[in-house]
Amino acid sequence: MKAKRDAQDMELQILSAAEKVFIRKGRLNATMGDIAKEAGISRTSLNYYFRSKNRLFEGILGNVLKSMLPDIKSVVDSDAPMLKKFEGIIDTYTRALLANPSLPRFIISEINLDADNFIRAVKKMLGAENVILRLRAQLLSEMKKGNIRKVPVIDLVTAYIGLMAFPFMAKNLLERVFLENKKGAFEAYILQRRTLILEIISGMLEIEKPKKRKAKK
Amino acid sequence: MKAKRDAQDMELQILSAAEKVFIRKGRLNATMGDIAKEAGISRTSLNYYFRSKNRLFEGILGNVLKSMLPDIKSVVDSDAPMLKKFEGIIDTYTRALLANPSLPRFIISEINLDADNFIRAVKKMLGAENVILRLRAQLLSEMKKGNIRKVPVIDLVTAYIGLMAFPFMAKNLLERVFLENKKGAFEAYILQRRTLILEIISGMLEIEKPKKRKAKK
DNA sequence: ATTATGTTTGACAATATCGTCAAACATGTC
DNA sequence: GACATGTTTGACGATATTGTCAAACATAAT
């Protein structure tokens, strides 16, 4: 028979192209033509490998989630203090997002198209040894021990992701309004920003009482 | 002639419907059919009022930006201390976003479709008495006076908007993962969250030195 | 009632995209 | 070389969307 090797290569090539296009334009806006062009084949040939757009999307969803969940195992499972872990996590995600700046937008778009499917896929990806759950358990344990302040996990999650992801979603705006369209300025800002994020997370977890502030009814 | 009244009403009705649909589904994904249905008229009739989808979109862009820039003039121009102002701004935006939860997603989508047009439209909307610039000037002045810490404005902007907008973009996810799909839980969380955001912004602006933290090369 | 003006609609052509098919093509195997 | 198997492509029909037109409709002024 013909080169089975080539076929596998082509599949990978297509998946890679599809990943790029899907992430860049979103599931609905990306067309099979776009993907075929990106992969350097005809649209019909693309359909030969993946009978439909949905099939193709299913095919890449796992890969995309993998880049969304970079490897933070070693950090989480280390015995460094919690804040050191966050430093490592922030570093890892910063690198992952710089390599894939459209990822946050893609994920938000997917969450709003089909949240259930998204959650299912993430759970499947995390598998049995769920790093996120482990991190959560560590946080709760440290809170109980009084080593860090008791903060609702949802607050940590929304603060961390919001701070981390927002600049990427608004990249085009930030570059124009604050960074004078200078090449490399965005990456520099993102790298520099790690300190800010870490400080904010630290502030949330610090054991000292929050400043006096009257609750608002 | 025929009722000019009705025509104006219909235009408003259409603009309102278009606003809803555009914000909900984004500019590209919203179809003229969707909007016509939402407005309760035929698609052809919609084309009678707005010759094309782009015209219609231009028509609503101003309105949308208005809800994106709620009235914070009274707060900014008051002589309250800076942190009090932020409290007011956070309150105002919380209300605006709860009334329009899809707005952040829409804006991010627009920024990525045509950032220049977006910026142009915002500037036009803000006009001569640009509240945002005034707030910025106040911030810089207070920093100079030493009343608040010297923080790059871009850091304040990305932190504030990221913290403010992210939960709305991930609403579907948060409701499922953290809020057990309880009705009203999201709104309650958002309201409660104002305190967290204010604390973080306060932390950024507080005059005391940032905690010891070695810069990362 | 007739007319003029403004409004609504169904039908149409143009375009874009999707998924399928049969035919052409390439490359190993005999 | 002939065949079989895997790959690529052009062409097609189906569907969705857009913008336009002429015809139907409604209402106010005469």
Side-chain angles (χ1 to χ4, degrees), chain A residues 90 94 159-168 174 186-200, chain B residues 154-163 204:
Chain A
I90 292 170
T94 297
Y160 172 69
I161 305 185
L163 290 168
M164 201 77 197
F166 174 75
F168 289 91
L174 295 179
F186 181 74
E187 175 160 352
Y189 175 63
I190 292 297
L191 289 173
Q192 178 252 301
R193 185 178 162 81
R194 287 174 299 174
T195 307
L196 173 66
I197 298 179
L198 184 56
E199 274 173 15
I200 291 176
Chain B
I154 185 176
D155 284 355
L156 282 173
V157 170
T158 53
Y160 173 69
I161 304 185
L163 289 169
M204 292 179 69

Side-chain angles (χ1 to χ4, degrees), chain A residues 1-2 7 42 44-45 48-49:
Chain A
M1 309 107 201
K2 174 65 173 313
S42 76
T44 318
S45 210
Y48 168 73
Y49 287 96

Side-chain angles (χ1 to χ4, degrees), chain A:
Chain A
M1 309 107 201
K2 174 65 173 313
K4 190 173 236 180
R5 182 86 260 121
D6 294 358
Q8 297 229 359
D9 283 358
M10 184 51 83
E11 271 192 31
L12 291 181
Q13 187 179 331
I14 289 175
L15 286 172
S16 155
E19 199 177 311
K20 274 190 213 129
V21 177
F22 273 128
I23 290 184
R24 192 165 58 235
K25 312 184 62 165
R27 189 213 309 208
L28 294 182
N29 204 239
T31 75
M32 292 294 266
D34 293 334
I35 297 166
K37 198 156 113 192
E38 177 81 33
I41 59 175
S42 76
R43 195 180 58 81
T44 318
S45 210
L46 174 55
N47 270 70
Y48 168 73
Y49 287 96
F50 296 89
R51 195 155 58 260
S52 78
K53 195 172 157 181
N54 280 335
R55 292 276 186 110
L56 182 50
F57 183 77
E58 303 282 320
I60 67 140
L61 189 51
N63 283 354
V64 175
L65 292 188
K66 228 180 287 173
S67 49
M68 189 194 89
L69 298 162
D71 194 4
I72 53 173
K73 273 201 281 293
S74 59
V75 176
V76 171
D77 292 335
S78 77
D79 53 0
M82 197 46 84
L83 284 184
K84 264 282 175 241
K85 290 188 184 180
F86 270 102
E87 195 175 329
I89 293 172
I90 292 170
D91 275 5
T92 307
Y93 267 93
T94 297
R95 259 185 287 113
L97 290 182
L98 280 175
N100 245 326
S102 303
L103 196 57
R105 249 173 54 226
F106 169 83
I107 290 169
I108 292 299
S109 157
E110 267 316 300
I111 285 176
N112 282 280
L113 282 176
D114 190 345
D116 292 314
N117 182 52
F118 179 82
I119 293 174
R120 210 177 315 122
V122 170
K123 279 187 177 156
K124 187 175 158 196
M125 166 98 332
L126 284 169
E129 43 141 356
N130 188 324
V131 200
I132 304 297
L133 282 185
R134 216 153 52 217
L135 177 60
R136 195 179 89 108
Q138 292 176 6
L139 277 167
L140 295 178
S141 155
E142 290 292 291
M143 286 178 193
K144 197 158 231 164
K145 285 194 217 150
N147 293 336
I148 56 180
R149 199 199 306 177
K150 286 195 171 79
V151 185
V153 175
I154 184 177
D155 284 354
L156 283 173
V157 170
T158 53
Y160 172 69
I161 305 185
L163 290 168
M164 201 77 197
F166 174 75
F168 289 91
M169 300 196 264
K171 181 168 181 278
N172 280 352
L173 190 72
L174 295 179
E175 287 178 334
R176 272 152 238 249
V177 175
F178 290 101
L179 305 176
E180 297 162 27
N181 272 313
K182 278 208 194 75
K183 236 194 77 173
F186 181 74
E187 175 160 352
Y189 175 63
I190 292 297
L191 289 173
Q192 178 252 301
R193 185 178 162 81
R194 287 174 299 174
T195 307
L196 173 66
I197 298 179
L198 184 56
E199 274 173 15
I200 291 176
I201 299 292
S202 302
M204 291 178 70
L205 291 181
E206 240 151 34
I207 199 57
E208 54 172 328
K209 279 273 166 304
K211 317 298 175 278
K212 70 291 164 200
R213 181 147 297 109
K214 42 204 167 284
K216 186 143 191 183
K217 193 47 194 298

Side-chain angles (χ1 to χ4, degrees), chain B:
Chain B
M1 309 108 196
K2 174 65 173 312
K4 191 173 233 177
R5 183 85 259 122
D6 294 359
Q8 296 229 359
D9 283 358
M10 184 52 83
E11 271 191 30
L12 292 181
Q13 187 179 332
I14 289 174
L15 286 172
S16 155
E19 201 177 309
K20 275 190 213 131
V21 177
F22 272 128
I23 291 184
R24 191 164 59 235
K25 312 183 64 166
R27 190 213 307 207
L28 294 182
N29 203 239
T31 76
M32 291 295 265
D34 293 334
I35 296 166
K37 200 156 111 191
E38 177 82 31
I41 59 175
S42 76
R43 194 181 59 81
T44 317
S45 211
L46 174 56
N47 271 70
Y48 168 71
Y49 286 96
F50 295 89
R51 192 147 68 265
S52 78
K53 194 173 160 181
N54 280 335
R55 293 278 187 109
L56 184 48
F57 183 77
E58 303 281 319
I60 67 138
L61 189 51
N63 282 354
V64 175
L65 292 187
K66 228 178 287 175
S67 48
M68 189 195 89
L69 299 162
D71 194 4
I72 53 173
K73 272 200 282 293
S74 59
V75 177
V76 171
D77 293 335
S78 77
D79 54 359
M82 197 48 83
L83 285 184
K84 263 285 175 238
K85 289 187 184 182
F86 269 104
E87 195 175 326
I89 293 173
I90 292 170
D91 275 5
T92 307
Y93 266 94
T94 297
R95 259 186 288 113
L97 291 182
L98 280 175
N100 245 325
S102 303
L103 195 58
R105 250 173 52 226
F106 169 82
I107 290 170
I108 292 299
S109 157
E110 268 315 299
I111 285 176
N112 282 280
L113 282 177
D114 189 345
D116 292 314
N117 182 52
F118 179 82
I119 293 174
R120 209 177 317 122
V122 170
K123 279 188 175 154
K124 187 176 158 197
M125 166 98 331
L126 284 168
E129 43 141 357
N130 188 325
V131 200
I132 304 296
L133 283 185
R134 216 152 54 218
L135 177 60
R136 196 180 88 108
Q138 291 176 8
L139 277 167
L140 295 178
S141 156
E142 289 292 290
M143 287 179 191
K144 197 157 230 167
K145 284 193 218 151
N147 293 336
I148 57 180
R149 200 201 304 178
K150 287 197 171 79
V151 184
V153 174
I154 185 176
D155 284 355
L156 282 173
V157 170
T158 53
Y160 173 69
I161 304 185
L163 289 169
M164 201 77 197
F166 174 74
F168 288 92
M169 300 195 264
K171 181 168 181 281
N172 280 352
L173 190 73
L174 295 179
E175 286 178 333
R176 272 153 239 250
V177 175
F178 289 102
L179 305 176
E180 297 163 25
N181 272 312
K182 278 208 195 74
K183 234 194 79 175
F186 180 74
E187 174 160 351
Y189 175 63
I190 292 297
L191 289 173
Q192 177 253 300
R193 185 179 162 81
R194 287 175 299 176
T195 307
L196 172 65
I197 298 179
L198 183 56
E199 274 174 17
I200 291 176
I201 299 293
S202 302
M204 292 179 69
L205 291 181
E206 240 150 33
I207 200 56
E208 55 174 325
K209 280 273 166 302
K211 316 297 174 279
K212 71 291 164 200
R213 181 149 294 109
K214 43 207 167 278
K216 185 145 195 178
K217 194 47 192 294

